[in-house]
Amino acid sequence: MRRISIFGATGSIGQSTIDLIRREKELYDIVALTGGANIAQLAADAIELKAQLAVTAYGDKLPELRAALAGTGIEVAAGAIALAEAANRPADWVMSAIVGAAGLKPGLVALEQGATLALANKESLVTAGPLLMQTAKKHQARILPVDSEHSAVFQALNGEDIKTVKRVILTASGGAFRDWPLEQLAEATAAQAMKHPNWSMGARITIDSASMFNKALEVIEAKEFFDLRSDQIEVLVHPESLVHAFVGFCDGALMAHVGAPDMRHAIGYALNWPHRRPLPVEMLDLASQGQLNFQSPNLQKYPALRLARVVMEQGGLSGTVFNAAKERALDYFIAGQIGFCDMSSVVETVLDDLCATTDLIDVDVTLDNVQHIDLIAREAIDALVVHGDLKLVIRG
Ligand code: NAD
Ligand code: MG
C-alpha cells in the first residue's frame, strides 16, 4: 500500500486528489490530511479514508476537530508546527496543495524525509525555488508538477534531452476579464474576478487568473522547475484552455499537451507516475471543438507578466518579495480595500523598493531568510495600503 498525505485536503486540489483516491481506496494508506477552517470536510474525509492524523492550520479550530473525530482513533493536531510534524510522518507520496507561502515548510519537510512531492503549491517554487530543488536533490526525493501547464511540459519532455529545448510556452485562459477592455478593469470586484470561464478552482487562484498574477507565478515556477532562462518562457492566451503548454525543440518541433480543463488529469498523472492509468476525465472530441485560438497577452492589461520578467532577471529573493507582496495585495483586494489594478501597482512599488536594497535580496535562499523577507514584503504592502507610505516600515 502506498502511504499518502494530503496538505490542503479540503481545498479544490485537495478534494480532486481525494476524488481519485476514493475510487481505489484499497491501494492507499492515508497518513495525514490537513485543512483550515472547514472542519466538517476534514473530519468526514479523515473518517472515510481512515487517515492516521488530521491537522487543522488553525489552533482555535482544534476543539471542533477533536469533537468531530472523537472515538474514531484518528489523531488530531493544529497549527503550523503540527503541519510540519505531519509532513515529517513517513509517506511515499505527499500532495502539496496548501494555498500560499504557508505550503513551503511542509513541502520541505516532506522532501527531507524522502517523500515524492506532488507540487500544486506553486508559491513554494516562486518564493524559494532553489531551496526546494536543492532539498529534493540532497534527500534524493522527487518533485512532480501538478500545476496543469507544468505537468503538460513535464509530459512533453518525456524521453527528451532537456538540452534540446529551445522554449516553453505556457497557455493562459485570460481569466474572468479576458473580454473586458482595459479601462473597465479598475472597477472590477472580487466577485466578478471569481467567475472563471473554464476552470473551477479555489478563490485566490481564480482571482490571480483574472489578473494573470497566476500566470506570472507560473512563469517563475517553470524557470525554477525546469531550470530555464527567462527568455525561454513565453505565454500565450488560449481561451479554450485545452492546450496546456507547448515545448519547442531545437529542430523547430512543438510538442503540445492537450486535454480537458480538469485538474484530476495533472493530479492523476503525478499520482500514477511513471505509469499512465485510466482517469475519470473527459475524452476530448476535437471535431466538435472545431477550433483552437491563440493570442499574445496584452502586457498593459496584465502588468503582472512584466513583473515576472523583472523578478526572474533580478534573481536572489525577489521571488519571495513578489509572492508575499502579491498575497498581501490580494488580501486587500478581497477585503475591498484596494482596486483590481492597484494590486499590480502596489506589488511593483514594493518590488522596486525592496529589490533596490540589494543586501535584502542577495542573500542565501535559506528558510530563515525567505521567511524574513516574506514578512518584510507583507509589512511593506500594509504600510503602502494602510498609511500610503512605504518608507514608514522599510526604513523604520
Ligand atoms: P483552495 O483555497 O481551494 O484550498 C487551499 C487549501 O489550503 C485548503 O485546504 C485550506 O484549508 C488550506 N490552507 C489555506 N491557508 C492555509 C494556511 N495558512 N496554512 C495551512 N493550510 C492552509 O486552493 P486550491 O485552488 O486548491 O489551490 C491550492 C494550491 O494549488 C495553490 O497553491 C494553487 O495555486 C495551486 N493550484 C491550484 C489549481 C486549481 O485548479 N485549484 C491549479 C493549479 C495550481
Ligand atoms: Mg496552472
Side-chain angles (χ1 to χ4, degrees):
M1 292 239 281
R2 280 173 88 199
R3 298 165 302 174
I4 287 197
S5 289
I6 305 174
F7 286 78
T10 55
S12 168
I13 292 285
Q15 289 294 297
S16 292
T17 308
I18 288 176
D19 179 74
L20 295 180
I21 284 174
R22 166 180 292 135
R23 292 161 195 265
E24 294 181 295
K25 282 194 195 107
E26 65 286 358
L27 299 181
Y28 306 111
D29 181 2
I30 305 302
V31 178
L33 297 182
T34 86
N38 189 348
I39 299 299
Q41 186 71 58
L42 181 60
D45 291 337
I47 292 168
E48 182 196 347
L49 299 178
K50 300 190 172 66
Q52 292 168 22
L53 168 68
V55 184
T56 164
Y58 308 120
D60 60 348
K61 290 281 172 189
L62 185 59
E64 193 183 334
L65 182 62
R66 186 173 285 131
L69 292 178
T72 63
I74 299 170
E75 294 169 64
V76 294
I81 294 172
L83 283 172
E85 283 171 2
N88 199 29
R89 293 229 174 165
D92 302 303
W93 190 91
V94 173
M95 167 53 77
S96 168
I98 287 174
V99 63
L104 175 61
K105 173 82 178 172
L108 285 171
V109 174
L111 289 171
E112 281 163 4
Q113 54 103 341
T116 291
L117 190 69
L119 190 74
N121 179 252
K122 65 193 82 186
E123 297 90 342
S124 305
L125 273 177
V126 175
T127 196
L131 177 61
L132 212 61
M133 299 310 280
Q134 284 158 18
T135 303
K137 203 168 166 193
K138 183 171 166 200
H139 297 275
Q140 294 174 326
R142 189 172 279 279
I143 306 177
L144 296 172
V146 171
D147 215 344
S148 57
E149 299 77 0
H150 305 72
S151 173
V153 172
F154 189 67
Q155 294 181 50
L157 283 173
N158 239 337
E160 303 284 357
D161 178 354
I162 188 85
K163 289 197 279 301
T164 64
V165 172
K166 289 287 270 189
R167 60 184 176 146
V168 159
I169 305 172
L170 308 180
T171 59
S173 66
F177 305 139
R178 179 171 68 202
D179 302 321
W180 283 39
L182 178 62
E183 310 76 66
Q184 264 183 33
L185 285 185
E187 305 305 319
T189 64
Q192 289 167 323
M194 268 188 251
K195 295 198 181 104
H196 197 284
N198 304 336
W199 294 92
S200 160
M201 308 184 285
R204 296 180 72 88
I205 183 175
T206 304
I207 301 174
D208 283 349
S209 296
S211 62
M212 283 224 199
F213 264 113
N214 180 49
K215 208 51 56 181
L217 297 179
E218 289 183 358
V219 168
I220 303 168
E221 180 187 12
K223 175 183 181 286
E224 298 296 341
F225 194 88
F226 299 107
D227 197 17
L228 299 167
R229 293 186 317 272
S230 157
D231 63 359
Q232 288 179 291
I233 311 165
E234 299 167 29
V235 172
L236 267 186
V237 175
H238 168 48
E240 293 84 6
S241 293
L242 296 180
V243 179
H244 304 301
F246 298 90
V247 178
F249 293 91
C250 58
D251 59 358
L254 273 181
M255 299 292 284
H257 178 281
V258 189
D262 182 336
M263 285 307 294
R264 291 176 305 175
H265 178 83
I267 296 167
Y269 187 79
L271 186 61
N272 296 322
W273 186 88
H275 307 291
R276 283 191 191 274
R277 300 185 58 226
L279 291 171
V281 298
E282 182 194 341
M283 298 291 139
L284 281 184
D285 174 1
L286 286 175
S288 70
Q289 179 61 36
Q291 55 175 322
L292 301 175
N293 292 282
F294 302 95
Q295 303 141 16
S296 293
N298 175 346
L299 294 188
Q300 270 189 300
K301 190 169 168 183
Y302 301 114
L305 292 178
R306 179 174 50 76
L307 298 183
R309 301 275 159 209
V310 173
V311 168
M312 289 189 290
E313 272 139 39
Q314 271 171 344
L317 291 192
S318 53
T320 312
V321 173
F322 183 61
N323 179 67
K326 190 282 298 175
E327 287 192 27
R328 199 72 187 120
L330 180 58
D331 292 340
Y332 281 113
F333 174 65
I334 292 173
Q337 286 178 257
I338 62 173
F340 184 74
C341 299
D342 298 332
M343 285 193 285
S344 55
S345 313
V346 294
V347 170
E348 182 162 17
T349 305
V350 166
L351 196 59
D352 282 353
D353 202 89
L354 291 192
C355 296
T357 324
T358 48
D359 53 340
L360 263 185
I361 61 158
D362 284 341
V363 294
D364 292 341
V365 189
T366 62
L367 185 60
D368 278 352
N369 286 342
V370 166
Q371 288 176 336
H372 175 63
I373 297 298
D374 176 288
L375 200 64
I376 290 181
R378 285 171 205 261
E379 287 175 352
I381 292 284
D382 291 347
L384 200 56
V385 173
V386 180
H387 307 292
D389 184 2
L390 183 59
K391 304 285 180 287
L392 218 69
V393 162
I394 311 273
R395 312 267 176 263

